[in-house]
Coordinates of all heavy atoms in Angstrom, one line a residue:
I3 N 119.1 24.0 -98.4 CA 119.8 25.1 -97.8 C 118.9 25.9 -96.9 O 117.7 25.9 -97.1 CB 120.4 26.0 -98.9 CG1 119.3 26.5 -99.8 CG2 121.5 25.3 -99.7 CD1 119.8 27.6 -100.8
T4 N 119.4 26.5 -95.9 CA 118.6 27.3 -95.0 C 118.6 28.7 -95.5 O 119.6 29.2 -96.0 CB 119.2 27.3 -93.6 OG1 120.5 27.7 -93.6 CG2 119.1 25.9 -93.0
P5 N 117.4 29.4 -95.4 CA 117.3 30.8 -95.9 C 118.3 31.7 -95.1 O 118.5 31.5 -93.9 CB 115.9 31.2 -95.7 CG 115.2 29.9 -95.4 CD 116.2 28.9 -94.9
K6 N 118.9 32.7 -95.8 CA 119.7 33.6 -95.2 C 118.9 34.7 -94.5 O 118.0 35.2 -95.0 CB 120.7 34.2 -96.2 CG 121.7 33.3 -96.8 CD 122.6 34.0 -97.7 CE 122.5 33.5 -99.1 NZ 123.2 34.2 -100.1
Y7 N 119.4 35.1 -93.3 CA 118.7 36.2 -92.6 C 119.6 37.4 -92.8 O 120.8 37.4 -92.5 CB 118.6 35.9 -91.1 CG 118.1 37.1 -90.3 CD1 116.8 37.5 -90.4 CD2 119.0 37.8 -89.5 CE1 116.3 38.6 -89.7 CE2 118.5 38.9 -88.8 CZ 117.2 39.3 -88.9 OH 116.7 40.4 -88.2
T8 N 119.0 38.4 -93.3 CA 119.8 39.7 -93.5 C 119.1 40.8 -92.7 O 118.0 41.2 -93.1 CB 119.8 40.1 -95.0 OG1 118.5 40.1 -95.5 CG2 120.6 39.1 -95.8
P9 N 119.7 41.2 -91.7 CA 119.1 42.2 -90.8 C 118.9 43.6 -91.5 O 117.9 44.2 -91.3 CB 120.0 42.3 -89.6 CG 121.3 41.7 -90.0 CD 121.0 40.8 -91.1
Q10 N 119.8 44.0 -92.4 CA 119.7 45.2 -93.1 C 119.2 44.8 -94.5 O 120.0 44.3 -95.3 CB 121.0 46.0 -93.2 CG 120.8 47.3 -93.9 CD 122.0 48.1 -93.9 OE1 123.0 47.8 -93.2 NE2 122.1 49.2 -94.7
L11 N 118.0 45.1 -94.9 CA 117.4 44.6 -96.1 C 117.7 45.5 -97.3 O 117.7 45.1 -98.4 CB 115.9 44.4 -96.0 CG 115.5 43.4 -94.8 CD1 114.0 43.4 -94.7 CD2 116.1 42.1 -95.1
G12 N 117.9 46.7 -97.0 CA 118.2 47.7 -98.1 C 118.8 48.9 -97.5 O 118.8 49.1 -96.2
L13 N 119.2 49.9 -98.3 CA 119.8 51.1 -97.7 C 118.7 51.9 -97.0 O 119.0 52.4 -95.9 CB 120.4 51.9 -98.8 CG 121.2 53.2 -98.4 CD1 122.3 52.8 -97.4 CD2 121.7 53.9 -99.6
F14 N 117.5 52.0 -97.5 CA 116.5 52.8 -96.9 C 115.2 52.0 -96.5 O 114.6 52.2 -95.5 CB 116.1 54.0 -97.8 CG 117.3 54.9 -98.0 CD1 117.9 54.9 -99.3 CD2 117.7 55.7 -97.0 CE1 118.9 55.8 -99.5 CE2 118.8 56.5 -97.3 CZ 119.4 56.6 -98.5
H15 N 114.9 51.0 -97.4 CA 113.6 50.3 -97.3 C 113.8 48.9 -97.7 O 114.5 48.6 -98.6 CB 112.5 50.9 -98.1 CG 112.2 52.4 -97.7 ND1 111.6 52.7 -96.5 CD2 112.5 53.5 -98.3 CE1 111.5 54.0 -96.5 NE2 112.0 54.5 -97.6
S16 N 113.0 48.0 -97.2 CA 112.9 46.6 -97.7 C 111.9 46.6 -98.8 O 111.1 47.6 -99.0 CB 112.5 45.7 -96.6 OG 111.1 45.9 -96.2
L17 N 111.8 45.5 -99.5 CA 110.8 45.3 -100.6 C 109.4 45.5 -100.1 O 108.6 46.2 -100.7 CB 111.0 44.0 -101.2 CG 110.2 43.7 -102.5 CD1 110.6 44.6 -103.6 CD2 110.5 42.3 -103.0
G18 N 109.1 44.9 -98.9 CA 107.8 45.0 -98.4 C 107.3 46.5 -98.1 O 106.2 46.8 -98.1
D19 N 108.3 47.3 -97.7 CA 108.0 48.7 -97.4 C 107.6 49.5 -98.7 O 107.0 50.6 -98.5 CB 109.2 49.4 -96.8 CG 109.6 48.9 -95.5 OD1 108.7 48.3 -94.8 OD2 110.7 49.0 -95.1
Q20 N 107.9 49.0 -99.8 CA 107.6 49.7 -101.1 C 106.2 49.3 -101.7 O 105.8 49.9 -102.7 CB 108.7 49.4 -102.1 CG 110.0 49.8 -101.6 CD 111.1 49.4 -102.5 OE1 110.9 49.3 -103.7 NE2 112.3 49.0 -102.0
L21 N 105.6 48.3 -101.1 CA 104.4 47.8 -101.7 C 103.1 48.2 -101.1 O 103.1 48.7 -99.9 CB 104.4 46.2 -101.7 CG 105.6 45.6 -102.3 CD1 105.6 44.1 -102.1 CD2 105.7 45.9 -103.7
D22 N 102.0 48.1 -101.8 CA 100.7 48.4 -101.3 C 100.2 47.3 -100.4 O 100.1 46.1 -100.8 CB 99.7 48.6 -102.4 CG 98.2 48.8 -102.0 OD1 98.0 49.0 -100.8 OD2 97.4 48.7 -102.9
E23 N 100.0 47.5 -99.1 CA 99.7 46.5 -98.2 C 98.3 45.9 -98.4 O 97.9 44.9 -97.7 CB 99.8 47.0 -96.7 CG 101.2 47.4 -96.4 CD 101.3 48.0 -95.0 OE1 100.2 48.1 -94.3 OE2 102.4 48.3 -94.6
K24 N 97.5 46.5 -99.3 CA 96.2 45.9 -99.6 C 96.2 45.1 -100.9 O 95.1 44.6 -101.2 CB 95.2 47.1 -99.8 CG 95.0 47.9 -98.5 CD 94.0 49.0 -98.6 CE 93.9 49.8 -97.3 NZ 93.3 51.1 -97.4
H25 N 97.3 45.0 -101.5 CA 97.4 44.1 -102.7 C 97.2 42.7 -102.3 O 97.7 42.2 -101.3 CB 98.8 44.3 -103.4 CG 98.9 43.7 -104.7 ND1 99.1 42.4 -104.9 CD2 98.8 44.2 -106.0 CE1 99.1 42.1 -106.2 NE2 99.0 43.2 -106.9
P26 N 96.4 41.9 -103.2 CA 96.1 40.5 -102.8 C 97.3 39.6 -102.6 O 97.3 38.8 -101.7 CB 95.3 40.0 -104.0 CG 94.7 41.3 -104.7 CD 95.7 42.4 -104.4
L27 N 98.3 39.8 -103.4 CA 99.5 39.0 -103.2 C 100.3 39.4 -101.9 O 100.9 38.5 -101.2 CB 100.5 39.0 -104.4 CG 100.0 38.3 -105.6 CD1 101.0 38.5 -106.8 CD2 99.8 36.8 -105.3
Y28 N 100.3 40.6 -101.5 CA 100.9 41.1 -100.3 C 100.1 40.4 -99.1 O 100.7 39.9 -98.2 CB 100.8 42.6 -100.2 CG 101.6 43.2 -99.0 CD1 102.9 43.6 -99.1 CD2 100.9 43.3 -97.8 CE1 103.6 44.1 -98.0 CE2 101.6 43.8 -96.7 CZ 102.9 44.2 -96.8 OH 103.6 44.7 -95.7
L29 N 98.8 40.5 -99.2 CA 98.0 39.9 -98.1 C 98.2 38.4 -98.0 O 98.3 37.9 -96.9 CB 96.5 40.3 -98.3 CG 96.2 41.8 -98.2 CD1 94.7 42.0 -98.7 CD2 96.4 42.3 -96.8
L30 N 98.2 37.8 -99.2 CA 98.3 36.3 -99.2 C 99.7 35.9 -98.7 O 99.8 34.9 -97.9 CB 98.1 35.8 -100.6 CG 98.0 34.3 -100.8 CD1 96.9 33.6 -99.9 CD2 97.8 33.9 -102.2
A31 N 100.7 36.6 -99.0 CA 102.1 36.2 -98.6 C 102.2 36.3 -97.1 O 102.9 35.5 -96.5 CB 103.1 37.2 -99.2
N32 N 101.4 37.2 -96.4 CA 101.5 37.3 -95.0 C 100.4 36.4 -94.3 O 100.4 36.4 -93.1 CB 101.3 38.8 -94.6 CG 102.5 39.6 -95.0 OD1 103.6 39.2 -94.8 ND2 102.2 40.7 -95.7
T33 N 99.6 35.8 -95.0 CA 98.6 34.9 -94.5 C 99.0 33.4 -94.5 O 98.7 32.7 -93.5 CB 97.3 35.0 -95.3 OG1 96.8 36.4 -95.3 CG2 96.2 34.1 -94.7
I34 N 99.7 33.0 -95.5 CA 100.2 31.6 -95.6 C 101.2 31.3 -94.5 O 102.1 32.1 -94.3 CB 100.7 31.3 -97.0 CG1 99.6 31.5 -98.1 CG2 101.4 30.0 -97.1 CD1 100.1 31.4 -99.5
N35 N 101.1 30.1 -93.9 CA 102.1 29.7 -93.0 C 103.1 28.9 -93.8 O 103.0 27.7 -94.0 CB 101.4 28.8 -91.9 CG 102.4 28.3 -90.9 OD1 103.6 28.6 -90.9 ND2 101.9 27.5 -89.9
W36 N 104.2 29.6 -94.2 CA 105.2 29.0 -95.1 C 106.0 27.9 -94.4 O 106.5 27.0 -95.0 CB 106.1 30.1 -95.6 CG 105.4 31.1 -96.4 CD1 105.0 32.3 -96.1 CD2 105.0 30.9 -97.8 NE1 104.4 32.9 -97.2 CE2 104.4 32.1 -98.2 CE3 105.1 29.8 -98.7 CZ2 103.8 32.2 -99.5 CZ3 104.5 30.0 -100.0 CH2 103.9 31.2 -100.4
S37 N 106.0 27.9 -93.1 CA 106.8 26.9 -92.4 C 106.2 25.5 -92.5 O 106.9 24.5 -92.5 CB 107.0 27.2 -90.9 OG 105.7 27.2 -90.3

Side-chain angles (χ1 to χ4, degrees):
I3 58 172
T4 55
K6 292 184 239 172
Y7 173 73
T8 53
Q10 182 177 349
L11 303 175
L13 186 57
F14 299 107
H15 301 286
S16 70
L17 186 61
D19 293 336
Q20 302 171 35
L21 303 176
D22 177 11
E23 295 178 1
K24 295 178 183 167
H25 190 280
L27 286 177
Y28 185 95
L29 295 171
L30 187 59
N32 294 312
T33 303
I34 294 174
N35 183 359
W36 295 104
S37 63

